[in-house]
Amino acid sequence: MMNSRVVMLLLLLSAVTESCWNVCLKKATSFTDWKIMAPGILFMITGIIMFKTSLRIIPLGVAVMIWSGVSLVLTIGLDVLYLKTRIDRLTAAFMVMCMVSIIGLNYASGR
């Protein structure tokens, strides 16, 4: 049986691969832009496998909440840093609230 820390790490890595896949979709000029789409598809498949593996221990609702929040914050962060998109203060405030929720759920699910 897998350690709960390893499972949480897999869930977080799954969120990272989701963010990378989103950036690949944004950067690709079309679905036939295989130079960018191929790594994106690889990130997507890898993320699905890691997410499914994490569901062995983490309840689905908690896993989806953590995965969604982390991938949302990472995707917005990559969008700002890598694709030079600007975000406003309200978006940043909700990102902080999202991270606080993720930390709380992580704590509550570990009890």
Side-chain angles (χ1 to χ4, degrees):
M1 186 165 192
M2 296 184 90
N3 182 333
S4 62
R5 289 180 186 241
V6 171
V7 171
M8 186 57 72
L9 179 63
L10 285 175
L11 181 62
L12 295 175
L13 288 173
S14 173
V16 170
T17 61
E18 173 73 14
S19 299
C20 293
W21 176 63
N22 289 333
V23 170
C24 288
L25 280 177
K26 176 80 173 181
K27 291 293 288 182
T29 56
S30 70
F31 283 111
T32 58
D33 187 0
W34 290 107
K35 188 175 182 182
I36 296 175
M37 288 300 292
I41 292 169
L42 184 62
F43 280 123
M44 180 184 63
I45 292 169
T46 304
I48 290 170
I49 293 168
M50 287 189 288
F51 184 81
K52 171 62 177 145
T53 304
S54 72
L55 292 178
R56 291 180 183 167
I57 294 179
I58 301 172
L60 178 61
V62 173
V64 169
M65 179 61 183
I66 292 170
W67 177 83
S68 300
V70 171
S71 57
L72 170 70
V73 170
L74 287 175
T75 299
I76 292 172
L78 287 171
D79 197 20
V80 169
L81 293 174
Y82 185 62
L83 302 173
K84 306 300 182 204
T85 302
R86 297 182 56 92
I87 62 168
D88 59 6
R89 290 180 188 200
L90 186 59
T91 302
F94 281 112
M95 286 172 54
V96 169
M97 285 193 290
C98 186
M99 292 307 295
V100 169
S101 298
I102 290 167
I103 292 166
L105 280 171
N106 192 12
Y107 171 75
S109 67
R111 293 189 295 152

